[in-house]
Amino acid sequence: MRLPLQVLVVILASCLSISGSLAYKPVVILHGILSGAESMSFLVREIEEIHPGTIVYNCDKFSGWYSLENAWRQVDQVRDYLNEVGKLHPEGIIVLGYSQGGLLARAAIQSLSDHNVKTFISLSSPQAGQYGTSFLHLIFPDLAAKTAFELFYSRVGQHTSVGGYWNDPQRQELYMKYSEFLPLINNEKQTSNSTSFKMGMVRLNRLVMIGGPNDDVITPWQSSHFSYYDENMDVIPFIKRKIFTSDSIGIKTLQEAGKLIIVVKPHVHHLAWHTRRDVIHEVIMPYLD
């Protein structure tokens, strides 16, 4: 007989409390695009080894090709998942989202005005959007970055997750007109949810943004820190972008409160952030307390 998730958690928590090992907050992990929970298994094992007794939820939603489904459809289910896990742990949880999973996790957190996510770790995620051939060719081999807007900025393109955060710096008018995801969660488009999206972010105790110059997939790599291209293809630091200066989603508020941590780690390829032991120990484990 398979026990419900709630029962298993209560039993595990009770056992750990008795042994005195329940010292770390539960961690929820969200995988990246075109992969699944199994791709995050090494990271799960490292967490369990270094922080014994940690309850780790390795989310298996939208694996493989299903990860290309509409971004909002994925966020709806991730939000419900985080809400369910959060209710099981009133002491608070940690959420780590890798690559596309970090963007979906952030949107889910923003959509939960009363969440109890204490720390959100964005691990090499395109938080300011994506515009690059190397990433594109992983999914759509025949598309070129300069012409991808013809697909993504359309009704059909918006049915894909990538279309929701494809941010062409030289097609901003089309981006704002057609994109149904990133401009909303970044409050570039004002909606009835804009205030709650900001409140969901400032509710965090800590926002950790991790990325590096040798990622070779997230383009520009600084998007992992909310920095992005301008129309001349120059990368503008996030502190000079409107998303920060206007504090549209609360990043400035978090920084001023000492709750924003920017991690730049060179010599790490995109596929190594969660699979290299030294990288995990250096840039992830310090924030799983």
Side-chain angles (χ1 to χ4, degrees), residues 144-164:
K146 290 185 178 181
T147 58
F149 74 92
E150 296 174 351
L151 168 61
F152 293 139
Y153 298 154
S154 68
R155 290 185 179 180
V156 173
Q158 288 301 301
H159 282 297
T160 68
S161 59
V162 181

mmCIF file of all heavy atoms in Angstrom, residues 144-164:
data_model
loop_
_atom_site.group_PDB
_atom_site.id
_atom_site.type_symbol
_atom_site.label_atom_id
_atom_site.label_comp_id
_atom_site.label_asym_id
_atom_site.label_seq_id
_atom_site.Cartn_x
_atom_site.Cartn_y
_atom_site.Cartn_z
ATOM 1 N N ALA A 144 17.156 30.123 -35.893
ATOM 2 C CA ALA A 144 18.236 31.055 -35.615
ATOM 3 C C ALA A 144 17.716 32.127 -34.669
ATOM 4 O O ALA A 144 16.538 32.502 -34.745
ATOM 5 C CB ALA A 144 18.734 31.690 -36.909
ATOM 6 N N ALA A 145 18.569 32.610 -33.791
ATOM 7 C CA ALA A 145 18.132 33.576 -32.788
ATOM 8 C C ALA A 145 17.499 34.816 -33.419
ATOM 9 O O ALA A 145 16.491 35.330 -32.936
ATOM 10 C CB ALA A 145 19.316 33.982 -31.910
ATOM 11 N N LYS A 146 18.088 35.291 -34.537
ATOM 12 C CA LYS A 146 17.613 36.541 -35.141
ATOM 13 C C LYS A 146 16.217 36.420 -35.741
ATOM 14 O O LYS A 146 15.525 37.422 -35.911
ATOM 15 C CB LYS A 146 18.599 37.020 -36.196
ATOM 16 C CG LYS A 146 19.914 37.528 -35.611
ATOM 17 C CD LYS A 146 20.822 38.107 -36.672
ATOM 18 C CE LYS A 146 22.098 38.656 -36.073
ATOM 19 N NZ LYS A 146 22.998 39.245 -37.102
ATOM 20 N N THR A 147 15.814 35.214 -36.089
ATOM 21 C CA THR A 147 14.491 35.034 -36.703
ATOM 22 C C THR A 147 13.530 34.256 -35.812
ATOM 23 O O THR A 147 12.384 34.047 -36.187
ATOM 24 C CB THR A 147 14.611 34.309 -38.059
ATOM 25 O OG1 THR A 147 15.265 33.039 -37.855
ATOM 26 C CG2 THR A 147 15.405 35.147 -39.056
ATOM 27 N N ALA A 148 13.975 33.852 -34.624
ATOM 28 C CA ALA A 148 13.134 33.054 -33.726
ATOM 29 C C ALA A 148 11.890 33.818 -33.289
ATOM 30 O O ALA A 148 10.865 33.207 -32.967
ATOM 31 C CB ALA A 148 13.933 32.618 -32.506
ATOM 32 N N PHE A 149 11.963 35.153 -33.306
ATOM 33 C CA PHE A 149 10.802 35.947 -32.899
ATOM 34 C C PHE A 149 9.582 35.643 -33.762
ATOM 35 O O PHE A 149 8.439 35.770 -33.316
ATOM 36 C CB PHE A 149 11.132 37.449 -32.964
ATOM 37 C CG PHE A 149 11.201 38.022 -34.355
ATOM 38 C CD1 PHE A 149 10.078 38.580 -34.940
ATOM 39 C CD2 PHE A 149 12.392 38.004 -35.077
ATOM 40 C CE1 PHE A 149 10.133 39.123 -36.224
ATOM 41 C CE2 PHE A 149 12.462 38.532 -36.352
ATOM 42 C CZ PHE A 149 11.326 39.096 -36.932
ATOM 43 N N GLU A 150 9.813 35.242 -35.018
ATOM 44 C CA GLU A 150 8.693 34.948 -35.914
ATOM 45 C C GLU A 150 7.860 33.785 -35.389
ATOM 46 O O GLU A 150 6.648 33.726 -35.611
ATOM 47 C CB GLU A 150 9.216 34.648 -37.322
ATOM 48 C CG GLU A 150 9.909 35.842 -37.974
ATOM 49 C CD GLU A 150 10.537 35.491 -39.306
ATOM 50 O OE1 GLU A 150 10.580 34.282 -39.646
ATOM 51 O OE2 GLU A 150 10.992 36.401 -40.014
ATOM 52 N N LEU A 151 8.505 32.855 -34.705
ATOM 53 C CA LEU A 151 7.779 31.743 -34.088
ATOM 54 C C LEU A 151 7.281 32.116 -32.698
ATOM 55 O O LEU A 151 6.096 31.988 -32.397
ATOM 56 C CB LEU A 151 8.678 30.510 -33.976
ATOM 57 C CG LEU A 151 8.146 29.364 -33.088
ATOM 58 C CD1 LEU A 151 6.832 28.825 -33.636
ATOM 59 C CD2 LEU A 151 9.179 28.265 -32.942
ATOM 60 N N PHE A 152 8.179 32.592 -31.858
ATOM 61 C CA PHE A 152 7.842 32.794 -30.450
ATOM 62 C C PHE A 152 6.845 33.923 -30.217
ATOM 63 O O PHE A 152 6.027 33.845 -29.309
ATOM 64 C CB PHE A 152 9.111 33.037 -29.637
ATOM 65 C CG PHE A 152 10.016 31.834 -29.570
ATOM 66 C CD1 PHE A 152 11.390 31.963 -29.674
ATOM 67 C CD2 PHE A 152 9.488 30.558 -29.399
ATOM 68 C CE1 PHE A 152 12.218 30.859 -29.599
ATOM 69 C CE2 PHE A 152 10.316 29.442 -29.326
ATOM 70 C CZ PHE A 152 11.674 29.593 -29.431
ATOM 71 N N TYR A 153 6.915 34.972 -31.032
ATOM 72 C CA TYR A 153 5.978 36.073 -30.847
ATOM 73 C C TYR A 153 4.746 35.870 -31.735
ATOM 74 O O TYR A 153 4.438 36.647 -32.631
ATOM 75 C CB TYR A 153 6.659 37.414 -31.125
ATOM 76 C CG TYR A 153 7.805 37.692 -30.185
ATOM 77 C CD1 TYR A 153 8.856 38.518 -30.548
ATOM 78 C CD2 TYR A 153 7.862 37.119 -28.911
ATOM 79 C CE1 TYR A 153 9.909 38.786 -29.683
ATOM 80 C CE2 TYR A 153 8.909 37.362 -28.039
ATOM 81 C CZ TYR A 153 9.936 38.196 -28.436
ATOM 82 O OH TYR A 153 10.978 38.436 -27.575
ATOM 83 N N SER A 154 4.079 34.774 -31.437
ATOM 84 C CA SER A 154 2.852 34.390 -32.139
ATOM 85 C C SER A 154 2.018 33.560 -31.180
ATOM 86 O O SER A 154 2.503 33.123 -30.131
ATOM 87 C CB SER A 154 3.167 33.574 -33.389
ATOM 88 O OG SER A 154 3.713 32.306 -33.025
ATOM 89 N N ARG A 155 0.772 33.311 -31.518
ATOM 90 C CA ARG A 155 -0.080 32.493 -30.658
ATOM 91 C C ARG A 155 0.479 31.097 -30.508
ATOM 92 O O ARG A 155 0.455 30.515 -29.421
ATOM 93 C CB ARG A 155 -1.498 32.444 -31.237
ATOM 94 C CG ARG A 155 -2.254 33.756 -31.139
ATOM 95 C CD ARG A 155 -3.682 33.603 -31.620
ATOM 96 N NE ARG A 155 -4.431 34.848 -31.499
ATOM 97 C CZ ARG A 155 -5.700 34.987 -31.845
ATOM 98 N NH1 ARG A 155 -6.377 33.963 -32.346
ATOM 99 N NH2 ARG A 155 -6.311 36.161 -31.704
ATOM 100 N N VAL A 156 0.992 30.555 -31.604
ATOM 101 C CA VAL A 156 1.569 29.207 -31.552
ATOM 102 C C VAL A 156 2.814 29.199 -30.668
ATOM 103 O O VAL A 156 2.983 28.333 -29.809
ATOM 104 C CB VAL A 156 1.929 28.711 -32.971
ATOM 105 C CG1 VAL A 156 2.687 27.382 -32.896
ATOM 106 C CG2 VAL A 156 0.672 28.544 -33.813
ATOM 107 N N GLY A 157 3.688 30.177 -30.858
ATOM 108 C CA GLY A 157 4.926 30.235 -30.093
ATOM 109 C C GLY A 157 4.710 30.389 -28.604
ATOM 110 O O GLY A 157 5.480 29.859 -27.793
ATOM 111 N N GLN A 158 3.638 31.084 -28.239
ATOM 112 C CA GLN A 158 3.356 31.288 -26.823
ATOM 113 C C GLN A 158 2.809 30.041 -26.145
ATOM 114 O O GLN A 158 2.676 29.999 -24.922
ATOM 115 C CB GLN A 158 2.396 32.462 -26.634
ATOM 116 C CG GLN A 158 3.030 33.813 -26.906
ATOM 117 C CD GLN A 158 4.222 34.095 -26.004
ATOM 118 O OE1 GLN A 158 4.096 34.106 -24.785
ATOM 119 N NE2 GLN A 158 5.390 34.310 -26.610
ATOM 120 N N HIS A 159 2.531 29.017 -26.918
ATOM 121 C CA HIS A 159 2.138 27.739 -26.334
ATOM 122 C C HIS A 159 3.354 26.969 -25.821
ATOM 123 O O HIS A 159 3.208 25.960 -25.138
ATOM 124 C CB HIS A 159 1.377 26.885 -27.358
ATOM 125 C CG HIS A 159 -0.053 27.304 -27.542
ATOM 126 N ND1 HIS A 159 -0.979 27.238 -26.531
ATOM 127 C CD2 HIS A 159 -0.694 27.805 -28.621
ATOM 128 C CE1 HIS A 159 -2.149 27.670 -26.976
ATOM 129 N NE2 HIS A 159 -2.004 28.030 -28.240
ATOM 130 N N THR A 160 4.565 27.442 -26.169
ATOM 131 C CA THR A 160 5.787 26.803 -25.680
ATOM 132 C C THR A 160 6.343 27.587 -24.508
ATOM 133 O O THR A 160 6.211 28.809 -24.438
ATOM 134 C CB THR A 160 6.871 26.732 -26.781
ATOM 135 O OG1 THR A 160 7.333 28.060 -27.075
ATOM 136 C CG2 THR A 160 6.312 26.094 -28.047
ATOM 137 N N SER A 161 6.987 26.894 -23.604
ATOM 138 C CA SER A 161 7.575 27.570 -22.444
ATOM 139 C C SER A 161 8.630 28.578 -22.878
ATOM 140 O O SER A 161 8.695 29.695 -22.356
ATOM 141 C CB SER A 161 8.183 26.542 -21.493
ATOM 142 O OG SER A 161 9.177 25.770 -22.148
ATOM 143 N N VAL A 162 9.462 28.181 -23.847
ATOM 144 C CA VAL A 162 10.549 29.052 -24.309
ATOM 145 C C VAL A 162 9.998 30.344 -24.894
ATOM 146 O O VAL A 162 10.541 31.426 -24.662
ATOM 147 C CB VAL A 162 11.425 28.331 -25.351
ATOM 148 C CG1 VAL A 162 12.560 29.249 -25.812
ATOM 149 C CG2 VAL A 162 11.995 27.045 -24.780
ATOM 150 N N GLY A 163 8.909 30.249 -25.628
ATOM 151 C CA GLY A 163 8.294 31.438 -26.189
ATOM 152 C C GLY A 163 7.897 32.426 -25.115
ATOM 153 O O GLY A 163 7.900 33.641 -25.339
ATOM 154 N N GLY A 164 7.573 31.927 -23.939
ATOM 155 C CA GLY A 164 7.146 32.785 -22.842
ATOM 156 C C GLY A 164 8.248 33.642 -22.253
ATOM 157 O O GLY A 164 7.968 34.664 -21.622
#
